[in-house]
Amino acid sequence: MAKILEEEEEDEEETEDFFSSSNCGCFLCAIKQPDARLRRASLADFFRELPYCDDDGQSSSCAAAVAAVWRAAMAAPDDPELPSLGAIRAMSLLLARSLADATWRRRGDNVVVPYYAAHAIGSFTIRSAAHAELAVAAGALRPLVALLGGAMTWVEQRAAVRALGHLASYDATFPAVARLAGEAVPIAVRAASTCVADVYSSFVAVAPASRRPKYQRELMSCGGGGLSGEEEDRKAEEWARQLQCWSLYFLSCLASRDVSSHDMICQDAVFLRELSRMWGGLANGDSPAGVGLLRILCRSPVGRGAIAACRDALSSLCDLARSSDDWQYMAVDCLLLLLDDGETWHAVADATAACLVDLVDLRHLGPRRRLGDAIATALLRDDHHVGGRELGVEAKEAIRSLRKTKVERKEREEAMSRDELMKREIIAKEKKRLGNDSFLHGDVERAIDLYTQALELCPQSRRRERLVLHSNLAQCRLARRDADAAVSDATRALSLARPANAHARSLWRRAQAYDMKGMARESLLDCLAFAGAWLDRPRRRKHTAAARGASANPKLPYCVARMISKQMSVTGLFAGVTMNGADKVGVDDCMPGCSENGDGDDEDDDEDDRDYDDESEEEFGGNAGLVKICTSG
């Protein structure tokens, strides 16, 4: 499993001149010794004595020395010199001393010793299995697990779980970590579940800022001080996000290597319910976070059984699967693994079929190929019951519709002549035109009826035509404020796009529908994808934009910028804590409808699917489109 991208706290300049900023004369003198033999001897003596330094005026020197070792580890984590001379052993012993002797820990600057010692171990072991073995041999595991369990504060907890994740990622050291899994797994689950609320209540919510623990504030500023309260809040949010993601990474390392840990992880139903929503925020896009762990759990019968029994977990996976999140394919993977198991098929199909049928036209998604076909095959394994259990009405209807479209209709169309297919296509286009006229004149119900008839006639091979019809239907649903139906149609349009999720109008329409539903995160992701397409259009359609008089430097429409601002304000890591769980947005707060064309129609394209290139489609109508983009649908 690929490691989570490390988010380091120091700028390169600060890391490079750590020696000059250190107050530790002994360490500085030893490390700067030009004679290699003398330097190694001095450093070995220094690390041998450091864990047992006395208290008479030495506490500041001890803290400075440990901070300097951490900076050295950050600057050169693969350099074997310091670990081989006892640096990792010294850090491990200092952790044990800090836990055993609270009086010593509170003396002078020793309060920062556990943080820097744990972080130094994490930095030394980030890429080196040999260094990880030294840490395990030095007895680092027990103190690190104690810190993760909350023996001190969330600051030390964050540094400890980072180190534990590295130690659990190597074949050589995993067995030692696994022996502590019975103790470590529950506290890692608890840390991932509660760390956001804990950081908020114990640090961010403390007012005035001067009442916050002094040493934590200094750690956040790398010892320099001077951060404003707002800057400290942002840093605390970043660290809380890292604590959650590193806890999930540690659990993922255990779960990927030891199936017996799955049962322990799945014991906490609340954790399982929230797991796919632990996404780490936009600043942590390189981490699959919670859904990555869910996918590992779905590979064992115990994990599949627990997830299938958690309706909220299935709902969250459906939300992620019908989003423009980079990890959308992971959610689909999870659901396919659950549907492939006859023991969990019924519960999962009953809960997710109505959502998954929106994705059966997907071709490629990230590294996955033919995902839509895989979804259809998984759902159609039994359209009525498994093991005598009957599906619910909604799921049964969704699967019946899927069978009618993917099996029966496909067979009929394959038997039709080319002339007959062309005739059906012409009639479908005429009905679409009539639907456009009806929408333009305010007859939304008739427009929906005509678009639906057009979809029933339009050949399955005409993906482009079907995309346009579903997107226009989504606009009609928005006009009726039917958010669920709008999400469904917009998702179907985005599944037909090539590449997937590349149809800007459908992204915007789904963003509005998600806003109506109060699903801020999903709305934000669609808004950002839409904004990227809008701002990128001059590069992709230089000549067309010039012909229509579009600006070379387009500005984002106000309604889109406002939507992004609104959703970001309620998707921050601490938003759920500050809103006391009220993460739903009221109907009155919904953004106004947005139509790129006054008649609700998307751009037409008479080419068949073989020649269709989504990037060649003119998505926006120049200056006129800019004016219309924020008009009510």
Side-chain angles (χ1 to χ4, degrees), residues 296-342:
I296 295 172
L297 295 175
C298 285
R299 298 189 184 281
S300 74
V302 170
R304 289 193 295 271
I307 295 168
C310 184
R311 195 85 176 194
D312 288 335
L314 296 175
S315 177
S316 295
L317 284 171
C318 284
D319 291 341
L320 182 56
R322 297 196 303 173
S323 76
S324 50
D325 193 291
D326 287 343
W327 302 113
Q328 176 189 6
Y329 76 88
M330 278 199 177
V332 177
D333 277 354
C334 290
L335 292 169
L336 287 175
L337 287 167
L338 293 167
L339 288 169
D340 285 342
D341 186 341

Side-chain angles (χ1 to χ4, degrees), residues 555-630:
K555 294 182 179 179
L556 198 63
Y558 172 73
C559 63
V560 180
R562 179 174 165 231
M563 177 83 89
I564 291 173
S565 176
K566 169 190 171 182
Q567 307 300 22
M568 290 190 72
S569 70
V570 294
T571 54
L573 201 63
F574 296 133
V577 180
T578 57
M579 295 170 67
N580 295 318
D583 56 351
K584 296 294 183 183
V585 181
V587 172
D588 292 340
D589 290 332
C590 294
M591 302 297 295
C594 175
S595 172
E596 294 80 4
N597 291 315
D599 61 359
D601 187 26
D602 278 290
E603 291 293 331
D604 204 358
D605 190 336
D606 291 332
E607 300 176 0
D608 64 21
D609 186 53
R610 290 169 299 175
D611 298 326
Y612 170 56
D613 181 356
D614 203 61
E615 287 205 346
S616 70
E617 178 195 4
E618 181 57 40
E619 290 276 7
F620 309 101
N623 292 329
L626 180 63
V627 173
K628 292 178 181 178
I629 192 83
C630 288

Side-chain angles (χ1 to χ4, degrees), residues 238-254:
E238 177 188 347
W239 282 18
R241 180 171 57 246
Q242 291 171 352
L243 172 52
Q244 185 176 72
C245 287
W246 286 338
S247 297
L248 294 173
Y249 176 67
F250 173 57
L251 290 169
S252 296
C253 288
L254 290 170

Side-chain angles (χ1 to χ4, degrees), residues 364-427:
H364 309 319
L365 192 62
R368 301 295 180 268
R369 295 293 180 264
R370 304 183 67 84
L371 267 180
D373 290 344
I375 292 170
T377 300
L379 288 175
L380 292 175
R381 61 180 292 172
D382 192 320
D383 63 343
H384 290 298
H385 58 82
V386 170
R389 292 173 294 175
E390 194 78 8
L391 289 172
V393 174
E394 188 179 22
K396 190 184 297 185
E397 175 60 25
I399 293 177
R400 186 198 65 79
S401 174
L402 175 61
R403 182 177 294 279
K404 179 181 177 181
T405 301
K406 282 294 184 180
V407 180
E408 299 170 4
R409 182 170 172 177
K410 182 180 179 182
E411 291 175 352
R412 287 199 310 271
E413 291 184 357
E414 287 177 348
M416 290 180 184
S417 66
R418 182 178 179 85
D419 289 342
E420 189 175 358
L421 286 172
M422 188 173 295
K423 181 180 178 181
R424 291 171 66 89
E425 183 181 342
I426 291 172
I427 297 174

Side-chain angles (χ1 to χ4, degrees), residues 127-150:
R127 289 190 296 266
S128 174
H131 292 174
E133 290 184 74
L134 287 175
V136 170
L141 281 175
R142 280 288 180 188
L144 289 172
V145 170
L147 290 179
L148 176 59

